Amino acid sequence: MNATIAYLKNCFEQALIAAFGNDLAGVDPVLVPTSNPQFGDYQSNVSMSLAKRLGKAPRAIAQDLIQKLDLSDICEPLEIAGPGFINIKLKTEYLQSQLAAMQGSSRLGVEAAKNPKRVIVDFSSPNIAKEMHVGHLRSTIIGDAIARVLEFQGQDVLRLNHVGDWGTQFGMLITYLQEVCPEALTTADALDLGDLVAFYKKAKQRFDEDPEFQEKSRQEVVKLQSGNPESHRTWQLLCDQSRREFQVIYDLLDICLTERGESFYNPLLQQVIDDLEQTGLLVEDQGAKCVFLEGFTNREGEPLPLIVQKSDGGYNYATTDLAAIRYRIQTDQAKRMIYVTDAGQANHFAQVFQVARRAGWIPEGVEIIHIPFGLVQGEDGKRLKTRSGDTVRLRDLLDEAIVRSRADLETRLKEEDRHESEEFIAHTSQIVGISAVKYADLSQNRTSNYIFSFDKMLALQGNTAPYMLYAYVRIQGISRKGQIDFDNLGSDLKILLQEETEFALARHLLQLDEMIDQVSQDLMPNRLCQYLFELSQKFNQFYDRCPVLQAETSVRTSRLVLCDLTARTLKLGLSLLGIGVLERM
Ligand code: ARG
């Protein structure tokens, strides 16, 4: 919690007891930032919520309460408004001192978590040999941002890539390899698969049209799962090939992940079944082992089963997730487990979590949560496709973002008659292109679908990455123009807030810690985007109204500090979204 809110909250709690007795200990004073700066900085709605309990009019409660509140050290006199709101306006000197403290803090006043927790973020998680599609792109971008925010707080974050590396697709792939490239089964370098996805498509085609091929594929799955060394080697080869392809995307996006695929849990699956049997939850239904779920019913209103072992003895996606939950709790000691996938998997996770909970595998104090997101749509509002109707390859999509951002940049350079090196152009287009894709995704409420539009995400105006990067560049321009070293503005800096736009900017800057705290709780990166967007707007309003370099010395220094704080906040905030800044663009 923000230090100011914490202080106010404490004072309110004391005053509530002083005014109405010990019964009110622990009552939340409901302090919220005001919607309109005219009402001050914060507002307490506690009088309304206590009216019934105390049998008194809210305004009278507010009166009694402010009698007992002494906030004169940091606030202007409190005011009661409307039906009984208490408006709190922070003193200018207090805001100024808070800004000075922020300026002197390498973490911009954001405190690190006092009790860091082990948190697992399960994200990206594509499937070997299958397409890494835009759904995986969303998971990668959102999961990475969430992990970065938690890491910045100082949480002990484990970023896990739950790669689908153990499915039935391997039977097909191995059988196909035997046909087209048998030497690849034994020698690593014989295999130049090129695009593994295309290879998978051909194998799948053979599988669909040839019953003999089908049968062989099934046998291959059994061979692999029973630990046949030759199958294992081929499987390894295929995984390596896919991994290389995924890595290209991760490098482009600057993503770090620890791979722990489904195969990792293979040795633990039988234990899941045995333990479920022990708890008495396991039921055999038409040869399959399953757990009947609470709250999930079929059309006839009968409870739905979660199958954990198929009638042929095979395990499935759910069994693996159950084993993973246990491993993450027991061995990784996770206290918070976050799963980032599309909303289509909401039922899967709700069901798996329910079974784990009922089996007693989730201890008290351990949080397990699915973070769903919506679909990426083309400009026609349908699922994103290429012009020829194929699924979009992520690499092509990211490359196109870079190519387009380069074209925009080159046009701009021509218009401005600027000459820049190839190195500058390549670097800038890369950062802007990738940032645009990430930001377009993160700035949406993740639960909704969004329309993918290169034109919109690359625009210099609006809630876009280029707009945000440009605000940062603009501030760096001030320092270049005035030959100012922001890191050496001098010690004992006095901040003087005078103009309305300065106050608005200052208040917004001081909300950084509160906002990061919120994102870490509700895991909504779009809040951070919105915060940064408003910050850029407030900065622009300030900069349009208030001369900085031309101002007289004391005002100039103070305004330079506001510029510096804005730049540092933008840089930090963008870095938490996985976006790097540019000094010029
Ligand atoms: N591989 C899965 C997919 O592509 C996502 C895995 C998500 N994580 C998990 N623990 N189930 O849909």
Side-chain angles (χ1 to χ4, degrees):
M1 192 189 301
N2 168 300
T4 306
I5 300 189
Y7 178 72
L8 292 173
K9 188 164 183 257
N10 187 33
C11 295
F12 264 78
E13 283 167 353
Q14 307 286 331
L16 278 166
I17 296 172
F20 307 110
N22 263 329
D23 270 8
L24 291 196
V27 166
D28 182 356
V30 224
L31 287 160
V32 291
T34 54
S35 47
N36 184 337
Q38 275 185 334
F39 302 140
D41 297 271
Y42 299 100
Q43 197 168 55
S44 166
N45 307 344
V46 74
S47 319
M48 268 73 84
S49 63
L50 286 178
K52 233 188 172 159
R53 181 161 167 188
L54 295 174
K56 251 182 163 181
R59 278 194 81 97
I61 296 177
Q63 276 297 351
D64 293 348
L65 195 57
I66 63 173
Q67 294 279 311
K68 303 286 180 193
L69 269 171
D70 181 12
L71 294 172
S72 56
D73 49 346
I74 70 166
C75 301
E76 302 291 348
L78 299 174
E79 277 175 15
I80 301 173
F85 297 110
I86 301 176
N87 288 343
I88 303 158
K89 191 172 162 81
L90 298 170
K91 280 189 171 157
T92 302
E93 301 88 82
Y94 179 72
L95 288 173
Q96 292 173 167
S97 69
Q98 292 288 99
L99 287 170
M102 188 174 179
Q103 157 80 6
S105 148
S106 63
R107 297 178 54 88
L108 291 169
V110 183
E111 273 179 46
K114 292 208 180 61
N115 305 304
K117 283 199 260 186
R118 167 130 274 206
V119 185
I120 288 179
V121 188
D122 173 321
F123 70 105
S124 192
S125 307
N127 303 314
I128 299 282
K130 293 194 195 163
E131 196 96 45
M132 186 171 182
H133 52 69
V134 281
H136 295 119
L137 179 69
R138 285 211 82 177
S139 174
T140 308
I141 294 173
I142 296 170
D144 177 60
I146 286 173
R148 284 176 192 259
V149 169
L150 297 171
E151 281 156 356
F152 177 67
Q153 278 197 323
Q155 311 291 358
D156 179 12
V157 180
L158 186 54
R159 302 158 154 256
L160 287 184
N161 201 0
H162 192 82
V163 172
D165 62 356
W166 205 238
T168 43
Q169 72 263 40
F170 289 100
M172 262 182 323
L173 285 166
I174 294 175
T175 311
Y176 187 65
L177 215 50
Q178 285 166 344
E179 271 183 12
V180 299
C181 184
E183 60 278 22
L185 298 168
T186 44
T187 20
D189 294 334
L191 191 65
D192 180 17
L193 293 174
D195 187 343
L196 192 53
V197 174
F199 184 77
Y200 172 78
K201 279 189 190 142
K202 283 194 209 128
K204 176 92 171 66
Q205 201 178 343
R206 288 283 288 122
F207 185 88
D208 289 340
E209 60 200 20
D210 182 350
E212 205 176 306
F213 185 96
Q214 259 178 44
E215 186 44 37
K216 270 170 95 181
S217 301
R218 292 217 174 84
Q219 284 164 16
E220 282 305 331
V221 178
V222 177
K223 253 169 90 182
L224 173 66
Q225 301 201 329
S226 61
N228 175 294
E230 199 181 306
S231 320
H232 198 271
R233 206 169 326 135
T234 314
W235 167 76
Q236 195 70 60
L237 240 96
L238 291 165
C239 289
D240 286 345
Q241 173 73 20
S242 254
R243 230 169 251 142
R244 278 197 289 275
E245 287 172 22
F246 298 157
Q247 198 54 46
V248 175
I249 306 285
Y250 295 144
D251 287 345
L252 262 174
L253 294 173
D254 186 22
I255 305 288
C256 272
L257 271 158
T258 301
E259 182 178 327
R260 203 194 270 166
E262 293 179 10
S263 63
F264 177 89
Y265 303 98
N266 192 44
L268 309 173
L269 300 178
Q270 185 55 47
Q271 197 64 46
V272 168
I273 308 298
D274 294 347
D275 290 356
L276 279 177
E277 185 105 61
Q278 283 267 314
T279 59
L281 290 174
L282 205 66
V283 178
E284 210 164 305
D285 190 38
Q286 296 163 37
K289 295 194 171 145
C290 57
V291 175
F292 280 96
L293 296 157
E294 292 166 355
F296 292 92
T297 49
N298 63 14
R299 262 189 242 139
E300 283 73 47
E302 295 147 2
L304 275 179
L306 178 72
I307 297 175
V308 289
Q309 189 168 20
K310 293 179 281 186
S311 53
D312 65 4
Y315 307 107
N316 60 20
Y317 188 48
T319 328
T320 307
D321 263 323
L322 285 169
I325 289 176
R326 290 176 12 131
Y327 188 88
R328 292 168 184 187
I329 291 174
Q330 289 166 6
T331 308
D332 296 323
Q333 303 273 311
K335 295 287 178 280
R336 195 177 190 202
M337 296 182 280
I338 298 167
Y339 295 76
V340 190
T341 78
D342 63 288
Q345 296 198 36
N347 272 344
H348 162 76
F349 286 109
Q351 297 176 351
V352 165
F353 296 170
Q354 181 193 115
V355 170
R357 198 159 271 132
R358 283 164 62 200
W361 296 340
I362 303 181
E364 195 152 331
V366 171
E367 185 193 1
I368 183 161
I369 165 171
H370 174 227
I371 295 298
F373 54 78
L375 296 175
V376 183
Q377 299 165 318
E379 301 206 42
D380 56 1
K382 300 204 189 105
R383 197 178 271 275
L384 190 65
K385 287 257 157 65
T386 61
R387 215 160 282 162
S388 60
D390 290 331
T391 35
V392 179
R393 292 178 63 222
L394 291 192
R395 240 173 106 172
D396 296 344
L397 182 141
L398 296 174
D399 286 346
E400 182 165 354
I402 298 169
V403 167
R404 287 193 187 224
S405 103
R406 187 183 175 111
D408 286 357
L409 175 62
E410 282 171 346
T411 314
R412 202 153 44 78
L413 290 179
K414 209 177 248 155
E415 280 166 10
E416 296 170 9
D417 197 24
R418 270 167 65 191
H419 299 275
E420 299 284 357
S421 68
E422 167 56 26
E423 200 191 342
F424 172 86
I425 295 175
H427 177 69
T428 309
S429 333
Q430 161 111 6
I431 300 271
V432 173
I434 298 294
S435 305
V437 172
K438 286 190 179 186
Y439 193 88
D441 197 306
L442 293 168
S443 57
Q444 305 292 321
N445 178 323
R446 61 170 161 70
T447 56
S448 32
N449 299 343
Y450 81 94
I451 292 182
F452 191 94
S453 157
F454 281 118
D455 289 337
K456 281 215 185 87
M457 68 178 71
L458 286 166
L460 265 173
Q461 289 304 326
N463 191 7
T464 64
Y467 177 77
M468 233 59 72
L469 292 172
Y470 192 69
Y472 182 83
V473 165
R474 197 173 179 195
I475 303 177
Q476 300 313 306
I478 301 172
S479 96
R480 272 195 299 276
K481 196 162 143 210
Q483 296 187 317
I484 286 147
D485 177 3
F486 278 140
D487 295 333
N488 286 307
L489 288 176
S491 56
D492 190 28
L493 293 171
K494 282 264 178 314
I495 296 172
L496 298 164
L497 298 175
Q498 294 163 332
E499 299 295 325
E500 202 148 313
T501 53
E502 288 180 296
F503 275 100
L505 178 60
R507 291 204 165 91
H508 197 74
L509 283 165
L510 291 172
Q511 282 161 18
L512 174 70
D513 56 350
E514 184 68 12
M515 191 275 314
I516 288 185
D517 203 44
Q518 268 192 14
V519 176
S520 76
Q521 286 173 43
D522 62 20
L523 309 173
M524 287 288 195
N526 61 307
R527 273 185 198 284
L528 175 51
C529 297
Q530 189 61 33
Y531 172 85
L532 295 174
F533 181 48
E534 285 172 20
L535 178 64
S536 312
Q537 288 178 318
K538 293 199 158 120
F539 174 78
N540 286 336
Q541 283 154 9
F542 152 76
Y543 194 58
D544 290 344
R545 280 291 170 82
C546 302
V548 176
L549 294 173
Q550 259 68 45
E552 53 102 1
T553 316
S554 61
V555 175
R556 180 175 185 263
T557 310
S558 167
R559 289 184 178 164
L560 283 170
V561 173
L562 287 177
C563 293
D564 178 39
L565 277 174
T566 304
R568 283 165 62 200
T569 304
L570 279 173
K571 185 173 180 177
L572 171 68
L574 289 170
S575 82
L576 298 182
L577 298 171
I579 295 175
V581 292
L582 293 161
E583 297 304 307
R584 299 191 305 122
M585 69 188 270

